[in-house]
Amino acid sequence: MISVLIAEDMHLIRGAMVALLSAEHDIKVVDEVGHGDDVVPSCLVHRPDIALVDIGLPGTDGLSATAELHRRLPSCKAVILTGLATPAALRRALDAGARGFVVKDTPAGQLAECVRRVVAGERVVDPELAVAALNAGQNPLTTRELEVLKAAAEGAPVREIADRLFLSGGTVRNYLSRILVKVGARTRVEAVTIAREAGWLWPDGVREIGLIRYRDGGPALRSSERS
């Protein structure tokens, strides 16, 4: 029997996952948590074979929880759950030690099969996403340009960016102009989106990236009849 822990803060999704996986003859859900701080302590108590971890948990985010779990309980294999897969999120999940990367609208049968394959020692990632991650371009931005872009992403005007980074307003404008050219964007907003999706501009908290956490207001697991 494969033992599974589910870490997901959205009650409906977590409940659906528990019900769907519990219906499998060879899978048992041993615990469910809704906060990132509870992932590792619960795993240390229940010692599941698999931990299904939402990327955007409150408290300790899913990637940080996965990295800590990999360090403290390597026998438990983590599978990252996300609302929308991107090469940037995949790269960070693999760096954290995740053995699988699953989009939340994956059919129930495929999710169960992912659990079985990871337990068997496989790394389970969508092939197209894996290729996209491998082919993702190198970051063309300098450290200073990333600092300017991150401040712009937080909504700071030029004057505030200049004060924060001890630059002149003209220098900040020059940086922003170069950033747009380098990433092929027309506006600051577009530049931020491109940089985040490429993984060049990663926020302090995973929850800040809406496109990684939710699609169209919130993902939902498909019911078993759609699988």
Side-chain angles (χ1 to χ4, degrees):
M1 184 70 71
I2 301 171
S3 56
V4 176
L5 175 137
I6 297 175
E8 162 63 57
D9 65 318
M10 296 184 69
H11 295 286
L12 288 176
I13 293 179
R14 188 170 74 241
M17 292 176 65
V18 170
L20 291 169
L21 291 178
S22 296
E24 300 292 325
H25 71 281
D26 58 342
I27 297 176
K28 178 182 180 181
V29 178
V30 295
D31 198 17
E32 52 180 289
V33 300
H35 197 281
D37 296 350
D38 298 329
V39 174
V40 173
S42 179
C43 285
L44 290 174
V45 170
H46 296 281
R47 295 189 171 269
D49 299 308
I50 296 288
L52 297 176
V53 184
D54 175 24
I55 198 172
L57 289 170
T60 303
D61 66 73
L63 297 183
S64 298
T66 294
E68 184 182 359
L69 180 61
H70 182 64
R71 179 177 61 85
R72 298 184 62 183
L73 189 66
S75 62
C76 178
K77 299 178 174 65
V79 174
I80 290 293
L81 303 170
T82 181
L84 178 59
T86 67
L90 171 58
R91 289 198 300 272
R92 281 169 171 77
L94 297 180
D95 288 344
R99 300 296 301 178
F101 191 84
V102 178
V103 179
K104 288 185 182 180
D105 64 358
T106 296
Q110 290 184 20
L111 179 61
E113 187 59 25
C114 170
V115 168
R116 296 185 184 101
R117 290 173 60 190
V118 170
V119 166
E122 295 184 45
R123 192 187 297 273
V124 181
V125 176
D126 178 81
E128 292 185 6
L129 181 61
V131 171
L134 289 173
N135 292 335
Q138 295 297 312
N139 181 5
L141 303 178
T142 65
T143 299
R144 197 56 155 171
E145 287 166 349
L146 285 171
E147 290 174 344
V148 170
L149 186 58
K150 183 173 182 180
E154 295 169 357
V158 169
R159 182 180 296 277
E160 182 179 333
I161 296 173
D163 291 341
R164 187 186 304 184
L165 300 179
F166 304 102
L167 300 170
S168 68
T171 299
V172 170
R173 292 187 182 89
N174 288 337
Y175 272 126
L176 289 171
S177 295
R178 286 207 299 269
I179 290 168
L180 295 184
V181 172
K182 283 186 174 183
V183 304
R186 292 168 296 181
T187 66
R188 295 182 201 175
V189 172
E190 187 177 353
V192 169
T193 299
I194 291 171
R196 281 180 168 172
E197 290 185 4
W200 306 328
L201 187 68
W202 196 257
D204 295 330
V206 176
R207 290 176 66 90
E208 295 175 29
I209 300 187
L211 64 89
I212 288 181
R213 182 162 173 74
Y214 300 128
R215 185 210 309 259
D216 297 332
L221 285 174
R222 296 174 185 171
S223 62
S224 57
E225 59 265 26
R226 294 182 188 173
S227 59

